Amino acid sequence: MLEFQTPELLRMPLQELCLHTKLLAPTNCPVVDFLMKAPDPPPALIVKNALQMLKSIDAMDPWEDLTELGFHLTELSVEPHLGKMVLCAIVLRCLDPVLTIACALAYRDPFVLPTLASQKHAAMLCRKRFTAGTFSDHMVLLRAFQAWQKARSDGWERAFCEKNFLSQATMQIIVGMRTQLLGQLRASGFVRARGGIDIRDVNANSENWAVVKAALVAGMYPNLVHVDRQNLVLTASKEKKVRFHPTSVLSQPRYKKIPPVNGQTAAVEALPTDWLIYDEMTRAHRIANIRCCSVVTPITVALFCGPARLPSNALQASASCQGDRLSSDSSDSEMEDRTTSNVSLLKLDEWLHLKLDSEVCNLSL
């Protein structure tokens, strides 16, 4: 047992720490230099990575000054990317489901991991029942919470949690976090008691899963992976091969007769689109695993990923280029056409490139 408790500076999320440090640090004092003056500072390299992430989500500008979004994120009690997700949900008018998902991600997975092999299989089946055919771990979190709320109102929440391998204590904490976060949104003026942005108005699209996913994509960026259909593997900006974490509903092949060794390949082949968002990437024995994933379409990626303001050279004409083809009639409920034609290339960042049909280019000009 440690003689002294680990300093809070080393326990809190670094991105959140960097945001609040910017509010306290003297003018023109870099965040890294300010934090290095602490008795037990976090590693400088990790701080720089956190700052780069804040810049990528537009919470900071290139000079480490807080943007308007960054100031708003300091008022929310969740990590910056989850805060951005919630604020985008208000704009897209789907606050309630995104509030639930954000609080579940901010705390912990409400599902209990059993020790017995037979129970592990039953627990995964429970997760898959909540997917509703959406290829989404985020939908699992949302539907599980909604079903638990109904069970609680009907007076059998304990039996419901035992049946579905859910932690009742975790659910209660998520409820408290939702209440706290909604209170902070009210205090900041994002949600009002009445008028144009009252609680009913900010939930006008809460039943539209495509809109909810748009808010998730805006918050999860740059946590994206792409499906390599030729090799049937997942790739990320800095990883040539990524695997689903065993707890993800997307990791399980749709057919029981597929051997476990081929399970990941079968799972990737079954994906209906070529892009996915994820909450966390971990590494075990040189293998990168992604947790809490959802499939998304290129049109959603094109609209809600990348910086708020694209550079002037982001759209480039090219007859042959690498990336997903995006047609003007694409939607989040259908697969995109991948035929080859004379297209333009939309560069959202150094890795995220999308091909656009000429029709889309004409619409954007």
Side-chain angles (χ1 to χ4, degrees):
M1 184 175 180
L2 295 175
E3 184 178 359
F4 301 102
Q5 187 179 19
T6 303
E8 186 175 0
L9 196 67
L10 301 179
R11 287 186 282 118
M12 70 180 300
L14 268 180
Q15 293 178 30
E16 189 175 348
L17 173 64
C18 290
L19 277 182
H20 288 91
T21 298
K22 193 60 186 178
L23 293 176
L24 302 173
T27 306
N28 298 326
C29 178
V31 173
V32 175
D33 295 346
F34 187 80
L35 290 177
M36 290 304 108
K37 297 176 182 179
D40 294 298
L45 179 60
I46 300 180
V47 174
K48 291 179 180 179
N49 290 338
L51 291 171
Q52 186 58 43
M53 180 62 71
L54 290 172
K55 294 175 183 178
S56 70
I57 66 172
D58 293 314
M60 282 185 173
D61 62 21
W63 301 275
E64 289 188 14
D65 291 325
L66 291 182
T67 62
E68 186 175 354
L69 173 62
F71 278 109
H72 289 312
L73 294 178
T74 61
E75 300 172 345
L76 303 179
S77 57
V78 291
E79 293 183 50
H81 73 285
L82 297 178
K84 180 180 179 181
M85 181 192 302
V86 170
L87 294 179
C88 288
I90 294 175
V91 176
L92 296 173
R93 303 201 297 177
C94 57
L95 177 61
D96 188 75
V98 174
L99 203 62
T100 298
I101 294 170
C103 290
L105 296 177
Y107 184 54
R108 66 172 62 168
D109 188 347
F111 285 90
V112 177
L113 297 177
T115 55
L116 298 178
S118 58
Q119 290 184 331
K120 287 182 179 180
H121 180 67
M124 179 54 69
L125 289 179
C126 286
R127 285 180 183 258
K128 297 191 77 171
R129 278 199 294 269
F130 289 117
T131 60
T134 57
F135 292 87
S136 172
D137 291 311
H138 299 95
M139 175 62 90
V140 172
L141 296 175
L142 175 61
R143 286 174 59 89
F145 182 82
Q146 292 173 338
W148 172 81
Q149 280 186 313
K150 186 178 187 306
R152 185 176 62 165
S153 65
D154 294 341
W156 65 292
E157 60 175 318
R158 183 173 180 178
F160 176 84
C161 288
E162 291 177 354
K163 178 182 177 182
N164 292 282
F165 298 90
L166 289 165
S167 168
Q168 187 173 341
T170 299
M171 287 298 197
Q172 295 285 3
I173 292 175
I174 291 174
V175 170
M177 293 177 66
R178 273 173 47 95
T179 302
Q180 180 186 25
L181 191 53
L182 182 58
Q184 292 168 345
L185 292 172
R186 291 184 186 276
S188 300
F190 287 108
V191 180
R192 297 176 182 173
R194 62 181 63 87
I197 50 173
D198 60 10
I199 195 66
R200 181 177 298 181
D201 183 65
V202 296
N203 283 298
N205 296 320
S206 290
E207 298 299 322
N208 189 328
W209 180 237
V211 177
V212 173
K213 274 206 295 187
L216 299 182
V217 170
M220 289 297 177
Y221 174 81
N223 289 359
L224 283 166
V225 294
H226 184 257
V227 180
D228 181 346
R229 292 290 176 181
Q230 183 175 357
N231 299 308
L232 291 179
V233 296
L234 303 176
T235 62
S237 58
K238 298 180 180 179
E239 300 289 342
K240 293 183 179 180
K241 186 175 182 181
V242 179
R243 296 172 63 90
F244 290 118
H245 192 272
T247 58
S248 172
V249 293
L250 278 71
S251 69
Q252 303 296 316
R254 302 181 68 182
Y255 306 103
K256 296 181 179 179
K257 294 183 180 180
I258 296 177
V261 68
N262 298 325
Q264 286 277 335
T265 301
V268 171
E269 188 175 13
L271 296 175
T273 65
D274 288 349
W275 292 95
L276 298 97
I277 54 172
Y278 65 91
D279 176 55
E280 181 184 23
M281 181 181 292
T282 58
R283 186 176 296 279
H285 307 292
R286 296 184 180 181
I287 298 176
N289 296 291
I290 51 175
R291 293 174 178 265
C292 203
C293 316
S294 291
V295 297
V296 293
T297 52
I299 185 66
T300 312
V301 173
L303 291 175
F304 295 96
C305 289
R309 294 184 178 180
L310 292 174
S312 58
N313 61 346
L315 186 62
Q316 300 178 0
S318 175
S320 60
C321 51
Q322 297 295 323
D324 271 15
R325 182 170 180 255
L326 186 63
S327 60
S328 58
D329 59 350
S330 299
S331 71
D332 203 21
S333 59
E334 61 182 329
M335 291 183 61
E336 278 69 27
D337 186 11
R338 298 185 185 89
T339 58
T340 57
S341 64
N342 289 332
V343 296
S344 295
L345 187 65
L346 176 64
K347 293 186 176 182
L348 297 174
D349 59 30
E350 294 181 358
W351 175 73
L352 185 51
H353 299 168
L354 293 169
K355 292 187 291 186
L356 301 182
D357 283 345
S358 57
E359 295 180 3
V360 177
C361 295
N362 293 334
L363 288 173
S364 63
L365 295 177

